[in-house]
Each structure stands twice: as C-alpha cells, then as structure tokens.
Amino acid sequence: MRLNSKWNRRSFLGSVGMIATTIMAPRKLFSLNGRSAGASAPVKGFGQTGNPFEELGVATVINCEGTMTVLGGSLPHPELEAVMTMAGRHFVSVHDLEVGAGKRIAEMLKLPDGYTALVTSGAAAAIQSGLAGILTGGNEAFIRQLPDLTGMKSEVIIQKSHRNPFDHQLRSTGIKLIEIETVDQLRAAVNERTAMMHFSNYANATGQIKAEEWVKLANQYKIPCMNDAAADTPPVSHLWDYTNMGFDLVTFSGGKAIRGPQCAGLLIGRKELVTNALANNSPNEDTLGRSQKVGKEEIVGMVKALELFLAEDHEALAKEWQGRLEAISREVKKIPGVSTSFFVPDIANHVPHMGIVWDEARISLTPEQASKLLRSSKPSIAMGAGEGRPGLAMNSFMLQPGEDKIVAEQLSRLLREHAA
Ligand SMILES: *Cc1c(COP(=O)(O)O)cnc(C)c1O
C-alpha cells in the first residue's frame, strides 16, 4: 500500500513539478563532470550553450529524490557516452548484437549455466517481453497474435501486496492477474491456464510468501516465475542473487542506479525464455514489443554500464553519499527547531537517506509546502516530503559535485524565511 501510494505521489509530483518549474539561471551543469568528453563535433545552433534543456525553456533540477524516471533517471558515466557514440557510427545486425551482448553480460555477472541476458528498452519492457515469450514460446503465429491469447495460457498469479503500476506491462499481453495472499490461495489458484507467477521484489517484506518460498512453489508446479527487481541495485549482488535463488526471469532498470542508458533495461533468465522474449520484441516486426525499440547505442551502452558498475567501489560511494548528507545536516541543524535523522531503505534506493524535521510552531511551513517551494526555486530542487515519515526526506546519490552545498544553502534559507 505504502509503496503504491508512493508511486502515485511521485508521478503526481513529477507532473505537477514539470508544469510548475520556472526557467532557472544558467548553470555549468554539463561541464561539471566532463560530460562533453565523448562529443567530437562542435555544436552550433541548438545545444550551443551546453544546456539544451534551458534552450527549450525547461529548468534542470537538482535531484535529491534518487533514480526517478520522471526526473530523467540517472546520469551516465562519460565513458559510457563515449562508447554509445562509437556505436552510432556503424551498422550492425541488431539481432546478432542482442545475442552477443547477452552472452557478454551473462559472463560478467557469472550467471548460472543455461542463463543469458537481453537488453530491453527498460525494466518495464523486460516485464512485458519476458511474459510474452512465456505465452508464445517459439510459435510465430502466437507471436503475431498477441494480445489475443486464443490457444495460449491466460493467467498470471501475483500476491495482492505485489500489485503496482508496472503490472500494466503484464496486463498488456492480454493475461488476467490472479491475486492471492496465502499459500493455500496460491495452491487453489494454480490451473492449466496459469502461465507465470510474478514477484515484485520491493514488496518482499509486505507479502506473506517471501522470494525463496515463491520460487519453491513455482518449481513445484513447474510454472515459470519472474522477479521484477527494477530498482533494487545497489547492492550489486542483486544482479545475480535472484537467478541463483532459482527465478526463471529477473528484470532490472538500466537507467536507475546502474547508470546505464536511460532507455535501457535488462531481462536476465533462462536461455530459452530470453530467446522467446527477444522474438516478441524489437527489432522483430509484427510483435507486441516492437514499440519498445532498443538501439545499438543502448545495447552496447548497457554492457559498458554493467562493466563500470561492477568495477565501482560501492562502499566508498556509500560513504561519500553519507558525507554529503551529513554536510547538509550540519547546516540546517544550525536553525533552531530543525533536526535530522539518517536511514537506509531496505530495498529500492538502498542508499543513505536523511529525514529533515522541524517544529512547525517555530517554522510555519509544512513539509509539502517546503517541497513545492524548493521545486519552484532557482535552481530547482526536487526533494520529497514523507516517504512514510514526517518532514522532508532526501538522498544524495544523484547529486553532482557541489550541489550538496547549494541544497544546504537553499534549504536553510527557506526554513529561516519561515521562522517565527
Ligand atoms: C522503475 C521500475 C520499473 C520500470 O523500469 P524502467 O527501466 O523505467 O522501465 C519497473 N518496476 C519497478 C518496481 C520499478 O521501480
């Protein structure tokens, strides 16, 4: 429930924020971490200022919310952009490239024998194509026929608390979701129409049936099972933990904390299922997934992103992110009535977070008002109220160098302005 409302709130804030944003003062955003590194041609006309967003009158945002698709997900490494630029200079069989990239990714992640990976246009696409492949198998007539399920299985079992906006991708294949809560209800729901058992990784704690038991039950009934772990790296080990646990298919976002291409994701799983998923996806025409095109640039970009992500010192990064939060904390705590606390969500955006609360008798501002004012300020700062906690909540892993200082200043100014 909480996560569902969080999603709604986030997408709501996202669209309101986009309308409400104002044009901010020019900032050297793009030169901060050498992002122009891969570009070879000098840019004239559109893009010549180095900030095409501002040229369109759309404010760039300092991101204290994390890897939110409505804010642009994450920022890729310059080295990744360089490899994507190289990919844009040649023609290639996209089908062969998908197979080759999948093989390389399987090696990098040391997946079990018989497993491979597919680069999709995002985790959402991986969910749809993975299920489509299970439904159609290699049957070409079935592939052309989807989402008309005549002759195919037609039900997917899911725990009630695992329902979320992304199960639209499951429903888009034409299947019906069968909601259950207990093991007994699951046993009663399994029948000859059951195509798959779906698991939403973030909801592991809220569902009665946990990941390992879900896999065991699926194996017992010989039903393929999928785990949507889109936002659940870090830790990096999640990239192989769930296939090792026995899930047949696992999905990840490329454009969240992995910092891959924004329009990329991963479907990891058993070779036959992944092959059938690709058969239902672009570049194949007359398929349900043809609208989820993934380009040669994204495919090689995803391979590079994983190489970079695996090589990163994740502990040092977490320390740096915590340090940024503490620097902001020291500043805002100078204001009478303001206090901070630190936490790490168990799953999804599993990185240091900070809660900021204040005595509303001394500072006449609700967290929601503060969030809105920060978003419409110059520069615009995206920082959510709530997360099921009082006050504002923020993380720092999507901040660019120097932005923690701007956040500390702006937030302090805002709170002081409203102090009695
Ligand atoms: C973000 C997310 C998705 C969608 O991922 P994309 O890569 O943006 O397609 C799916 N499921 C969950 C749980 C997510 O958090």
Side-chain angles (χ1 to χ4, degrees), residues 7 69 121-125 127 164 166 202 228 230-231 252-256 264-265:
W7 256 307
T69 300
S121 65
I127 292 169
N164 70 70
F166 294 101
Y202 78 84
D228 173 21
F252 291 100
S253 255
K256 290 180 179 167

Side-chain angles (χ1 to χ4, degrees), residues 328-355:
I328 296 168
S329 171
R330 279 193 295 277
E331 282 308 306
V332 295
K333 277 201 318 199
K334 288 179 186 162
I335 305 163
V338 178
S339 63
T340 59
S341 60
F342 299 93
F343 63 97
V344 177
D346 284 340
I347 206 144
N349 285 333
H350 178 72
V351 295
H353 280 61
M354 177 167 71

